[in-house]
Amino acid sequence: MKENPTLELDSPIIDIEVKELLSRGAEAEIWRVNWFGRDAVVKKRVKKGYRHPRLDDNIRKSRIKKEVKLMVLARSAGVPVPIIYDLRLEDKTMIIQYFNGLRVMDAINDGYEVDLKTIGKHIGRLHKAGVTHGDLTTSNILFSPESENFCFIDFSLGEQESSIEDMGVDLHLMREALISVHDNPLELYEEVLEGYREVFNGAEGTIERVKKIESRGRYQ
Ligand SMILES: Nc1ncnc2c1ncn2[C@@H]1O[C@H](COP(=O)(O)OP(=O)(O)O)[C@@H](O)[C@H]1O
Ligand SMILES: [Mg+2]
């Protein structure tokens, strides 16, 4: 990481005050900012030097666009996601609401009572709408201990017209993530499934698929 990283934008936003870099992954930088007086996050997809510049531009534009689209679909399905304030394709950037909370993984590890049945319901709502998340680990769900609200983030690997396999992968990732953070993992996964079954008619199909995905993993 650079000593003093800065948020680089081709078309600078005048009314933006950059506060801190929250995360820098292989694909994106996440900055906490003040945007027209609102507590917000800038997610910027970063350049990949190994791709032809024009191709890289197009890929990053289409990925950020896809992420916004999936967030809109998730929200209309009743899944809590950050409010989208702006999409700036030229900068491969979206500006979204800052959610004050911690990652579900950290919340569970810190001993907070996290309502996994509600998480299961949200996943069920998403799948009922045909949408999958694609990277449904407990790092991509935020939790506020004060309000007990959740916020689903990071939809960049999701799908809009998902197959049973896509849905199975979502649940499988959730299950794996729960196993990695807690010493009573299967019970936690069962809580997720309870909520999932309650809202989604196709739940059994997905749950069967998760078993297949897992046995494939075992014998590979
Ligand atoms: N809207 C948000 N509010 C608060 N924190 C956020 C928000 N979006 C992202 N973050 C923080 O930044 C991290 C990385 O963001 P994410 O969208 O998952 O990017 P990546 O694709 O790099 O995983 C998250 O785990 C979370 O801690
Ligand atoms: Mg993430």
Side-chain angles (χ1 to χ4, degrees):
M1 196 176 281
K2 277 190 265 172
E3 278 290 302
N4 284 310
T6 48
L7 170 58
E8 285 165 19
L9 298 171
D10 292 332
S11 47
I13 312 163
I14 296 157
D15 265 310
I16 198 171
E17 179 203 333
V18 178
K19 290 185 180 161
E20 58 174 325
L21 180 65
L22 291 178
S23 147
R24 178 182 275 163
E27 302 292 330
E29 289 173 2
I30 313 288
W31 296 82
R32 185 168 178 186
V33 302
N34 185 304
W35 185 80
F36 292 98
R38 287 164 208 263
D39 210 354
V41 155
V42 171
K43 179 165 183 173
K44 180 183 161 96
R45 300 200 71 92
V46 294
K47 279 196 183 105
K48 296 282 180 181
Y50 56 80
R51 286 197 291 244
H52 183 281
R54 217 163 47 227
L55 176 67
D56 182 59
D57 241 51
N58 287 336
I59 291 177
R60 289 186 296 134
K61 269 185 204 166
S62 72
R63 296 217 172 132
I64 199 83
K65 208 157 82 179
K66 180 180 171 199
E67 185 166 3
V68 165
K69 176 139 201 211
L70 291 174
M71 284 169 78
V72 170
L73 292 172
R75 172 171 292 273
S76 30
V79 179
V81 296
I83 296 167
I84 297 153
Y85 294 141
D86 204 357
L87 168 64
R88 302 168 65 88
L89 281 184
E90 287 315 313
D91 282 318
K92 291 83 182 168
T93 286
M94 65 175 177
I95 304 176
I96 58 175
Q97 174 188 25
Y98 174 79
F99 182 84
N100 192 8
L102 54 166
R103 302 183 311 166
V104 161
M105 189 168 75
D106 298 329
I108 295 173
N109 279 328
D110 290 353
Y112 287 105
E113 283 264 329
V114 177
D115 180 0
L116 290 157
K117 186 175 168 189
T118 296
I119 291 185
K121 282 188 189 171
H122 289 320
I123 302 172
R125 291 183 183 117
L126 197 64
H127 288 184
K128 196 173 165 186
V131 178
T132 42
H133 181 281
D135 190 17
L136 201 53
T137 63
T138 48
S139 301
N140 287 331
I141 308 174
L142 307 178
F143 171 71
S144 159
E146 291 84 39
S147 65
E148 299 193 346
N149 286 333
F150 295 105
C151 184
F152 284 60
I153 58 166
D154 202 4
F155 282 78
S156 47
L157 296 173
E159 291 298 334
Q160 193 176 337
E161 286 169 25
S162 312
S163 61
I164 292 195
E165 178 75 12
D166 296 328
M167 297 186 197
V169 168
D170 267 1
L171 275 191
H172 167 67
L173 288 176
M174 192 71 223
R175 185 177 180 277
E176 293 282 294
L178 289 172
I179 287 171
S180 73
V181 295
H182 201 272
D183 47 24
N184 197 2
L186 290 178
E187 202 173 288
L188 296 183
Y189 179 60
E190 284 304 320
E191 283 175 40
V192 171
L193 292 188
E194 203 185 320
Y196 187 72
R197 286 191 173 102
E198 227 171 77
V199 302
F200 180 37
N201 277 340
E204 294 313 322
T206 316
I207 294 165
E208 278 311 302
R209 183 55 70 107
V210 176
K211 290 179 189 154
K212 272 199 197 136
I213 292 171
E214 268 148 29
S215 64
R216 251 188 257 152
R218 263 196 296 279
Y219 300 115
Q220 247 168 25

